[in-house]
Amino acid sequence: MSLIAVKAGVAVHVAEARPEEALDALRVIETTSRGTLAEMRHLLGVLRTGAADADLTPSPGLADLTGLAERAAMAGVHVDLDVDAGSSPRASRSPPTASSRKRSPTS
C-alpha cells in the first residue's frame, strides 16, 4: 500500500511536465493494487473459513529478500541488497537484517 501511495504522489507531481513518467507510475499502481487486493481476498478467506481449511504459507524469510528486491526493481525502485545473517548461534535466533536505499535515476 505504501508503494501505491508513493507512486500516486509521483503521478500527480509529474503528470503535466512528464506524462510518460506519470503513466509508468500509474502502471505500477495498477499492478501493485491488483496484487494487494488478491492478498486481501486470500486473508479474508482464511479469516472466514478458519486456519484448518486455509492454505497457509510461512512468513517471508531471509531467502525471500531477493524476490522482494526484484519486485521493487520492477516498480522502478533501485535496491542495493546486503544481507548479513551472522554466524553465531545468537544470530540464528535473531531476525536477519537488511538495508535498502532508493537512488535517483542519475546516481
Side-chain angles (χ1 to χ4, degrees), residues 9-32:
V10 168
V12 167
H13 183 70
V14 301
E16 289 183 24
R18 297 186 306 256
E20 188 58 39
E21 189 175 342
L23 285 174
D24 289 342
L26 291 171
R27 287 182 191 106
V28 170
I29 290 169
E30 179 184 20
T31 302
T32 304

Side-chain angles (χ1 to χ4, degrees), residues 8-100:
V10 168
V12 167
H13 183 70
V14 301
E16 289 183 24
R18 297 186 306 256
E20 188 58 39
E21 189 175 342
L23 285 174
D24 289 342
L26 291 171
R27 287 182 191 106
V28 170
I29 290 169
E30 179 184 20
T31 302
T32 304
S33 62
R34 289 181 191 276
T36 301
L37 287 171
E39 290 175 16
M40 286 181 172
R41 285 186 196 106
H42 177 73
L43 178 59
L44 288 173
V46 169
L47 293 174
R48 286 184 186 132
T49 61
D53 298 337
D55 177 26
L56 301 176
T57 58
S59 296
L62 184 60
D64 301 306
L65 287 176
T66 302
L68 177 62
E70 289 169 355
R71 286 192 303 277
M74 289 184 343
V77 177
H78 179 83
V79 178
D80 290 326
L81 183 62
D82 181 16
V83 179
D84 181 7
S87 59
S88 71
R90 177 176 154 76
S92 65
R93 290 191 311 266
S94 301
T97 59
S99 63
S100 67

